[in-house]
Amino acid sequence: MKHITDFIRSTFHEPTEFIPLHDPRFIGNERKYLNDALSTNFVSSVGEYVVKFEKMCAAYTGAKYAVATMNGTAALHIALLLAGVSENDEVITQSLTFVATTNAINYTGAKCVFLDVDKDTMGLSPEKLSAFLKNNTFSKDGKTYNSTTKRRIAAVVPMHTFGHPCRIDEIAQICETYNIELIEDAAESVGSFYKGKHTGLFGKMGILSFNGNKIITTGGGGMILTDDEDLAKKAKHITTTGKIPHPWEFNHDIVAYNYRLTNLAAALGCGQIEQLEFFVEEKRKLAEKYDAFFAKETDIMFVNEPQESRSNYWLQAIILQDRSARDAFLEYTNQNGVMTRPIWTLMNKLDMYKDCQTDDLSNSLWLEDRVVNIPSSVFVKNYYHDLQKIF
Ligand SMILES: *Cc1c(COP(=O)(O)O)cnc(C)c1O
């Protein structure tokens, strides 16, 4: 396995040091905008960078409206609430996801149903979704109910794993047929397009994340995307304490949240989103290098973008032969200064979610045993050296 860690080291041009899985790059106007935000004294929940960052996200993705939040989990929580998801409802999502998806669903009081993913996209499988709805639900007054629990199925939340778009247009079609709201978890796929359309725009609302480990970061932050003006207004209102605008009076008309993004975070975001296209291009080049290298390995498969998509390749991934090969690979690489990480434990295996309904999850179980993420940072020559000069 030494030739693999050697290759990864040479790819990042760092012969001796520890190679992290993914870390951010601040190479544009980030410092300038942050200083500017500081000099205006608007550091918190008011300030022009929040509006600017929302506009930039809308412009980049093609969404009509973008509403900033303090993180992606909060964005998903609000999107689900605004889609009408509440206690006694159920929400279908994939078992193979990061726990934030599942937690946000549970904040609404709804229960999760975990369905399988496709092997190639690692995102929700339209066939499995279709089969579940056909065999396990009934329709009443135009709504879809779970035959076993009798609860309404209020929403479907697919996720674009590691930035690779799932078959979201087919999923949207199925949701329409069954009159179920589609909310996309596009937290990992900022900069990823499916059939020319940015991920997060295929359903009623989509959410993005700008956590420290994502392709662009605000330190912590999220965004709700929608084409619906009324929903965008409601999203802004409910994430900003439900305050009725007035120069001095404090009146609020709903139980709301303090989920807004700070002006400082948004300033950082404005600097980052200007770099997004460059980051995506670099990650796509890195994917080509990895693909060529792993093509020569008979027992390791590099994960390439699905058809008809343009992936941001946020986290690069490989598929090993089986769980013991996976464990051996994780052990060797991490002990030799090259950080790697297995894909998440399936959600239905976590104690809090072990009683949730599932389908057979055959692909999810297969992937859980084999998928590993490998170093994926954007390569910038002398990045750490230059950082040290700044401080
Ligand atoms: C990162 C992420 C989120 C949101 O995370 P935050 O850290 O709250 O911004 C949601 N879903 C998935 C799949 C993620 O990877």
Side-chain angles (χ1 to χ4, degrees):
M1 264 183 273
K2 183 164 182 305
H3 69 292
I4 298 177
T5 51
D6 283 349
F7 173 75
I8 293 175
R9 266 176 208 293
S10 70
T11 302
F12 288 87
H13 301 260
E14 286 175 29
T16 52
E17 282 168 58
F18 171 73
I19 313 286
L21 187 68
H22 186 279
D23 56 359
R25 296 288 179 260
F26 305 115
I27 53 171
N29 289 318
E30 291 90 346
R31 286 172 182 78
K32 182 168 157 238
Y33 297 158
L34 276 168
N35 271 324
D36 184 50
L38 283 172
S39 67
T40 64
N41 223 32
F42 286 108
V43 297
S44 186
S45 45
V46 181
E48 63 181 31
Y49 279 108
V50 176
V51 180
K52 235 184 224 175
F53 187 46
E54 288 175 339
K55 289 211 170 112
M56 288 170 98
C57 282
Y60 180 88
T61 58
K64 283 208 178 108
Y65 305 95
V67 178
T69 59
M70 66 179 192
N71 59 49
T73 313
L76 187 53
H77 179 200
I78 295 304
L80 290 162
L81 287 181
L82 293 180
V85 176
S86 68
E87 227 176 325
N88 304 321
D89 284 337
E90 288 182 359
V91 173
I92 293 175
T93 190
Q94 56 202 64
S95 179
L96 190 73
T97 186
F98 177 57
V99 72
T101 316
T102 312
N103 284 340
I105 292 166
N106 277 262
Y107 298 162
T108 68
K111 296 270 180 296
C112 288
V113 175
F114 295 121
L115 299 186
D116 204 8
V117 295
D118 284 326
K119 258 190 195 172
D120 59 342
T121 69
M122 298 182 285
L124 189 65
S125 159
E127 281 87 14
K128 294 289 183 89
L129 174 63
S130 192
F132 179 85
L133 291 170
K134 187 159 170 261
N135 301 324
N136 299 283
T137 67
F138 64 92
S139 171
K140 207 179 91 186
D141 302 329
K143 306 235 165 80
T144 298
Y145 292 82
N146 186 323
S147 309
T148 313
T149 61
K150 308 289 185 277
R151 283 196 285 251
R152 179 174 74 112
I153 297 178
V156 171
V157 183
M159 198 278 283
H160 304 289
T161 302
F162 306 143
H164 297 313
C166 66
R167 288 155 62 194
I168 190 66
D169 59 340
E170 290 164 78
I171 292 170
Q173 201 70 54
I174 297 164
C175 288
E176 209 169 300
T177 304
Y178 285 86
N179 194 24
I180 302 173
E181 301 289 5
L182 171 59
I183 307 289
E184 264 174 280
D185 183 343
E188 304 185 354
S189 56
V190 180
S192 298
F193 293 78
Y194 186 71
K195 296 187 177 171
K197 191 161 153 182
H198 196 278
T199 53
L201 300 185
F202 288 79
K204 183 162 238 176
M205 280 168 282
I207 70 98
L208 312 177
S209 167
F210 309 111
N211 191 36
N213 63 345
K214 297 300 203 291
I215 185 163
I216 58 170
T217 183
T218 57
M223 195 68 69
I224 299 169
L225 303 178
T226 183
D227 282 344
D228 184 319
E229 186 181 2
D230 183 50
L231 282 174
K233 281 188 178 147
K234 284 181 173 152
K236 191 45 122 180
H237 191 58
I238 199 172
T239 53
T240 55
T241 71
K243 186 174 181 292
I244 301 164
H246 190 280
W248 53 82
E249 297 273 6
F250 271 80
N251 278 307
H252 308 260
D253 56 1
I254 43 166
V255 177
Y257 300 84
N258 179 15
Y259 273 1
R260 55 192 141 198
L261 191 70
T262 68
N263 201 47
L264 278 182
L268 183 53
C270 288
Q272 284 271 284
I273 198 167
E274 290 173 352
Q275 307 293 318
L276 179 54
E277 268 310 296
F278 169 70
F279 290 172
V280 172
E281 283 308 318
E282 287 302 304
K283 278 168 177 286
R284 293 179 64 79
K285 281 188 214 158
L286 176 60
E288 272 177 37
K289 282 188 199 165
Y290 274 142
D291 190 34
F293 175 80
F294 285 110
K296 289 174 267 163
E297 299 291 311
T298 50
D299 50 358
I300 300 179
M301 202 173 84
F302 180 72
V303 178
N304 265 308
E305 67 191 346
Q307 291 189 342
E308 299 190 85
S309 69
R310 185 249 199 185
S311 174
N312 68 1
Y313 280 92
W314 165 56
L315 281 189
Q316 316 274 346
I318 54 172
I319 298 179
L320 291 119
Q321 291 288 73
D322 53 29
R323 199 171 184 105
S324 69
R326 183 200 84 159
D327 290 344
F329 184 86
L330 287 167
E331 179 118 6
Y332 181 85
T333 49
N334 283 294
Q335 277 182 0
N336 287 280
V338 171
M339 186 175 169
T340 60
R341 199 179 70 182
I343 201 166
W344 315 281
T345 300
L346 298 189
M347 288 300 111
N348 55 296
K349 292 187 181 175
L350 302 182
D351 210 37
M352 316 79 84
Y353 303 125
K354 66 179 188 311
D355 297 329
C356 294
Q357 189 173 1
T358 71
D359 63 3
D360 73 357
L361 300 177
S362 53
N363 294 331
S364 307
L365 288 159
W366 189 90
L367 291 164
E368 185 195 32
D369 278 345
R370 292 168 176 79
V371 176
V372 169
N373 292 122
I374 54 178
S376 307
S377 307
V378 170
F379 174 69
V380 176
K381 201 160 188 266
N382 289 334
Y383 184 69
Y384 289 102
H385 179 261
D386 293 350
L387 261 192
Q388 276 164 12
K389 272 197 298 204
I390 288 166
F391 296 110

